[in-house]
Amino acid sequence: MKKLNTHNVDLIISAVSKKQYPKHNKPEVAMCGRSNVGKSTFINTLLERKNYARVSSKPGKTKTLNFFDIDNKVVLVDVPGYGYTKLSKSEQEKLYDMIVEYLVNSENLSFVLHLVDSRHKPSQDDIEMNEFLNYYKIPFVLVLTKVDKISKNELSKNMAKIKKELDLTNNISVIEFSSVTKLGKEKIVEEISKILV
């Protein structure tokens, strides 16, 4: 298995449609989750950068597909967060279409990191994203974020709810993650490293 240097990273492009996707032959890993799931913090922890992805106090800020080249071996795609209620219906639909277009049409997509907040049972949006990934047979790693914010007991109770609500048919693994303690970071890098040719 090739070693991946997650510190060696470049933003290739921020795209809004298929014609803007970068042309390359590297495997892609997409990240998706609700707009307040902690995606920017997750990216910064993964890439060992403080402010690579802007962490906003207002969720729902990412409105483009951001393509990051990691170590010239893999492309990480930051997908806009879903379920942000303060966006107008038409804005929400536009973002939804952008996400669907990418996930269905990307020729290089290897798997998805589906981020779900470990503190709550999955939202309707989380369930729909899970159904979508299974419908299109897109493999995914379920990443449970913010595990440092709850007790081990609560986490195991919530884990049971999450496994009950979500269909893990195309699931590769379930990883508990904390940007505070860095728990799960190495496991995620390991999963990404498995796809390197």
Side-chain angles (χ1 to χ4, degrees):
M1 192 162 66
K2 284 189 183 176
K3 188 84 180 92
L4 190 65
N5 177 9
T6 54
H7 207 70
N8 178 16
V9 60
D10 282 305
L11 175 64
I12 310 171
I13 195 170
S14 295
V16 291
S17 68
K18 194 179 168 185
K19 60 177 182 287
Q20 294 177 327
Y21 299 167
K23 298 274 183 283
H24 63 83
N25 54 8
K26 294 169 196 139
E28 287 178 358
V29 174
M31 288 167 300
C32 66
R34 272 179 67 83
S35 56
N36 57 353
V37 78
K39 203 151 48 68
S40 298
T41 315
F42 171 80
I43 296 168
N44 290 332
T45 305
L46 200 61
L47 304 181
E48 297 169 39
R49 298 289 181 97
K50 273 223 164 69
N51 303 310
Y52 210 81
R54 280 201 304 268
V55 179
S56 173
S57 55
K58 291 181 183 161
K61 278 286 189 200
T62 307
K63 299 207 172 62
T64 53
L65 295 155
N66 297 319
F67 291 78
F68 298 97
D69 183 300
I70 300 184
D71 206 18
N72 212 14
K73 291 184 182 121
V74 65
V75 175
L76 200 60
V77 186
D78 180 17
V79 171
Y82 53 76
Y84 186 54
T85 48
K86 289 197 176 140
L87 291 177
S88 68
K89 198 156 173 33
S90 69
E91 277 183 304
Q92 283 187 47
E93 280 169 6
K94 204 166 134 190
L95 281 186
Y96 181 77
D97 290 345
M98 196 196 301
I99 296 168
V100 168
E101 180 184 50
Y102 168 72
L103 292 175
V104 173
N105 292 301
S106 168
E107 290 166 12
N108 300 311
L109 183 62
S110 292
F111 69 89
V112 167
L113 293 165
H114 185 197
L115 276 57
V116 172
D117 192 328
S118 67
R119 300 171 301 173
H120 314 289
K121 71 176 205 175
S123 67
Q124 189 52 40
D125 295 305
D126 290 327
I127 292 167
E128 284 170 16
M129 176 54 79
N130 172 257
E131 286 169 351
F132 174 87
L133 294 172
N134 281 311
Y135 179 81
Y136 283 99
K137 297 185 171 58
I138 299 169
F140 62 92
V141 169
L142 188 63
V143 179
L144 304 179
T145 64
K146 308 184 184 185
V147 295
D148 54 281
K149 296 192 181 339
I150 54 174
S151 69
K152 282 213 159 67
N153 190 21
E154 279 177 296
L155 181 61
S156 78
K157 278 184 192 162
N158 287 356
M159 182 80 97
K161 284 181 200 162
I162 288 164
K163 286 182 171 173
K164 195 175 158 205
E165 296 277 345
L166 300 181
D167 174 0
L168 300 182
T169 304
N170 287 295
N171 179 243
I172 301 170
S173 64
V174 178
I175 297 176
E176 295 169 13
F177 180 82
S178 162
S179 57
V180 176
T181 65
K182 313 280 189 288
L183 175 76
K185 175 184 176 279
E186 287 309 318
K187 280 188 180 170
I188 289 158
V189 173
E190 237 170 73
E191 288 297 348
I192 296 172
S193 299
K194 284 178 190 171
I195 60 172
L196 302 181
V197 183

